[in-house]
């Protein structure tokens, strides 16, 4: 699959969504560290270093996947980030991606996630992906579940008590959305 360039930046009063840049990495690492240490949206328990976040971003970009940031144009701060990667590595899954979205502390509930996910969906559709899945940590993660539902994702399953974090068992919720023609046609046929 060829990798088209990212679409023009998406804007919202004071927020612009654009492709991530290397200079964004300290902010991305700080946002993710916050979620690792305080939240259940990720089952990671030890925050990755800046070097590890750099390597992870490089792997996503090297695979031809979009990696976006929402930047506050008033002060230049990163309000959140989103990216997709392969759902699974086997070639039969090549038209299905998995999303990840993280919002900066204090920026939840301000439309940052909706702006990022809307832009990410457009990018994925433009690149020819046919399905996107959200693998959401914690069935109590009403913000992420609500965001994905609002943008057309359907609940497709749940693993009960799949992870143990902060001394409690956590579910994993699976949501899915068709992109473009979805399963109505076979690419290249």
């Amino acid at each position: 699959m060829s990798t088209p360039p990212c679409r023009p930046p998406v804007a919202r009063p004071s927020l612009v969504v654009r492709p991530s840049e290397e200079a964004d990495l300290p902010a991305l690492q700080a946002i993710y560290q916050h979620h690792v240490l305080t939240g259940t949206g990720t089952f990671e328990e030890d925050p990755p270093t800046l070097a590890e976040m750099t390597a992870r971003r490089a792997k996503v970009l090297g695979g031809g996947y979009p990696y976006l940031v929402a930047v506050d144009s008033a002060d230049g701060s990163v309000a959140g980030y989103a990216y997709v990667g392969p759902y699974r590595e086997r070639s039969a899954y090549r038209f299905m991606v998995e999303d990840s979205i993280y919002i900066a502390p204090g920026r939840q509930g301000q439309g940052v996630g909706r702006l990022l996910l809307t832009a990410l969906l457009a990018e994925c559709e433009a690149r020819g992906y046919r399905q996107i899945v959200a693998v959401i940590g914690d069935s109590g993660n009403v913000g992420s579940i609500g965001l994905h539902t609002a943008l057309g994702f359907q609940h497709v399953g749940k693993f009960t008590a799949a992870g143990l974090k902060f001394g409690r068992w956590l579910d994993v919720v699976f949501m899915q959305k068709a992109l473009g023609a979805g399963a109505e046609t076979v690419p290249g046929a």
Side-chain angles (χ1 to χ4, degrees):
M1 207 181 307
S2 65
T3 305
C6 284
R7 311 294 127 223
V10 176
R12 175 185 179 102
S14 83
L15 287 178
V16 174
V17 174
R18 60 163 172 75
S20 68
E21 300 170 355
E22 196 163 333
D24 299 321
L25 280 160
L28 305 183
Q29 192 269 341
I31 291 168
Y32 189 64
Q33 176 176 306
H34 168 80
H35 286 278
V36 169
L37 295 175
T38 67
T40 55
T42 175
F43 284 10
E44 251 185 290
E45 296 180 287
D46 298 311
T49 63
L50 181 57
E52 175 62 23
M53 288 292 289
T54 300
R56 291 178 186 187
R57 177 178 166 271
K59 183 176 181 181
V60 168
L61 294 174
Y65 301 102
Y67 202 122
L68 307 175
V69 294
V71 178
D72 191 318
S73 58
D75 63 10
S77 64
V78 175
Y81 67 99
Y83 62 92
V84 298
Y87 172 67
R88 293 286 185 266
E89 296 294 331
R90 292 188 173 100
S91 65
Y93 293 113
R94 68 189 171 278
F95 293 101
M96 184 173 193
V97 291
E98 179 181 336
D99 74 7
S100 293
I101 304 169
Y102 294 97
I103 309 304
R107 298 304 301 255
Q108 292 93 346
Q110 298 176 12
V112 177
R114 179 181 283 269
L115 190 65
L116 280 164
L117 186 53
T118 298
L120 194 61
L121 292 170
E123 277 297 316
C124 290
E125 195 166 307
R127 293 173 189 224
Y129 298 112
R130 295 296 186 91
Q131 301 289 331
I132 186 167
V133 65
V135 180
I136 300 170
D138 192 1
S139 58
N141 189 342
V142 295
S144 186
I145 293 168
L147 170 64
H148 285 87
T149 300
L151 291 180
F153 284 71
Q154 302 294 316
H155 287 264
V156 293
K158 176 175 83 168
F159 288 157
T160 303
L164 180 67
K165 187 173 180 183
F166 302 135
R168 66 185 180 99
W169 289 104
L170 301 169
D171 300 336
V172 176
V173 175
F174 294 88
M175 300 183 77
Q176 183 177 348
K177 177 181 175 69
L179 299 170
E184 293 175 16
T185 64
V186 174

